[in-house]
């Protein structure tokens, strides 16, 4: 099982899912501490600037509550309901919908091996020259599909470790001076999801193109 990349990925997913909620607890604590500090600084600036009217303070508080509520929603739960994970899963679901079933690294590698076998079977009825060419072409195909499977494996590992493990970075959204760290983390989730979708599309295109080989 350890030699099976799909098994390793599933085990890693289960392990990471176990510590993500704990990291989110620290992220929420950090976020609320920074958000409270931000509120205090904002109100102090309004007072010093002579803008501490009832309407101004109410508007500032409302904006603060909406902002805090949004990020608490983002950090509200771990596992499958963790919003950065949902972002990645939405791209993965799009790739699955196109292919008709989930695409895993092992499936891509097996697909390449099957194409290699089909080429050799077809060339076996021809001469030695065609057989050698088919064998060389098959090896190239296996290498290409192997690289594709390795890329998907690395991307999924990146997702499990960085997307889930880096969830504590959301805590830095509590104050304007460090919120770019949290926003960059959310943008990173989108980029990882897009990478998974692109790899899935490449695998689907290769699968369709090689059906008649």
């Amino acid at each position: 099982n350890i030699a099976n990349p799909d098994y390793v990925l599933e085990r890693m997913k289960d392990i990471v899912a176990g510590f993500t909620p704990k990291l989110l607890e620290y992220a929420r604590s950090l976020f609320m501490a920074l958000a409270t500090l931000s509120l205090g600084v904002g109100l102090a600036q309004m007072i010093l600037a002579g803008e501490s009217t009832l309407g101004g303070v109410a508007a500032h508080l409302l904006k603060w509550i909406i902002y805090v509520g949004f990020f608490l929603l983002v950090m509200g739960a771990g596992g499958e309901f963790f919003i950065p994970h949902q972002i990645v899963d939405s791209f993965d679901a799009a790739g699955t919908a196109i292919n008709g079933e989930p695409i895993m690294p092992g499936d891509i590698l097996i697909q390449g091996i099957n194409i290699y076998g089909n080429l050799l079977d077809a060339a076996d009825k021809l001469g030695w020259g065609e057989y050698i060419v088919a064998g060389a072409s098959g090896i190239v195909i296996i290498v290409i599909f192997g690289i594709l499977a390795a890329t998907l494996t690395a991307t999924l590992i990146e997702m499990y470790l960085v997307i889930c493990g880096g969830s504590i970075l959301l805590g830095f959204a509590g104050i304007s001076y460090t919120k770019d760290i949290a926003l960059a983390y959310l943008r990173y989730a989108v980029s990882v999801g897009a990478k998974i979708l692109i790899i899935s599309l490449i695998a689907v295109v290769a699968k369709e193109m090689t059906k008649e080989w």
Side-chain angles (χ1 to χ4, degrees):
N1 282 340
I2 295 179
N4 185 347
D6 295 349
Y7 170 80
V8 174
L9 289 172
E10 287 298 327
R11 286 292 299 131
M12 182 173 294
K13 180 180 179 180
D14 294 339
I15 293 170
V16 171
F19 64 69
T20 299
K22 298 177 182 178
L23 288 175
L24 285 174
E25 290 181 13
Y26 289 103
R28 283 190 288 268
S29 298
L30 174 61
F31 174 78
M32 288 308 302
L34 292 177
T36 303
L37 175 62
S38 176
L39 177 62
V41 170
L43 292 175
Q45 289 175 339
M46 291 180 67
I47 293 173
L48 293 175
E51 300 174 353
S52 56
T53 62
L54 180 60
V57 171
H60 185 78
L61 284 173
L62 179 61
K63 185 169 65 173
W64 183 83
I65 290 171
I66 293 173
Y67 180 82
V68 169
F70 169 75
F71 273 96
L72 286 179
L73 176 64
V74 172
M75 295 182 286
E80 297 300 324
F81 299 101
F82 182 39
I83 286 184
H85 198 244
Q86 287 286 338
I87 292 173
V88 176
D89 281 350
S90 65
F91 285 98
D92 187 36
T96 299
I98 294 171
N99 185 54
E101 59 183 1
I103 299 176
M104 294 297 289
D107 300 327
I108 295 175
L109 192 58
I110 291 173
Q111 183 180 339
I113 294 173
N114 288 338
I115 294 172
Y116 175 73
N118 292 337
L119 283 174
L120 290 184
D121 290 340
D124 191 40
K125 303 173 184 178
L126 304 175
W128 278 103
E130 290 81 357
Y131 190 84
I132 292 174
V133 171
S137 301
I139 292 174
V140 172
I141 290 173
I142 288 179
V143 171
I144 292 173
F145 275 79
I147 293 173
L148 192 60
T151 303
L152 180 57
T153 301
T155 303
L156 291 174
I157 291 174
E158 181 182 16
M159 179 189 74
Y160 298 143
L161 294 182
V162 181
I163 296 298
C164 296
S167 55
I168 194 170
L169 297 177
L170 289 172
F172 290 98
I175 195 167
S176 60
Y177 303 107
T178 56
K179 70 177 182 180
D180 286 343
I181 296 175
L183 295 177
Y185 171 72
L186 293 176
R187 288 193 292 268
Y188 182 76
V190 174
S191 69
V192 171
K195 191 187 298 184
I196 292 175
L197 175 60
I198 290 171
I199 294 173
S200 299
L201 289 175
I202 293 174
V204 170
V205 170
K207 177 181 178 181
E208 293 299 320
M209 291 180 63
T210 55
K211 273 186 175 179
E212 299 180 358
W213 288 19

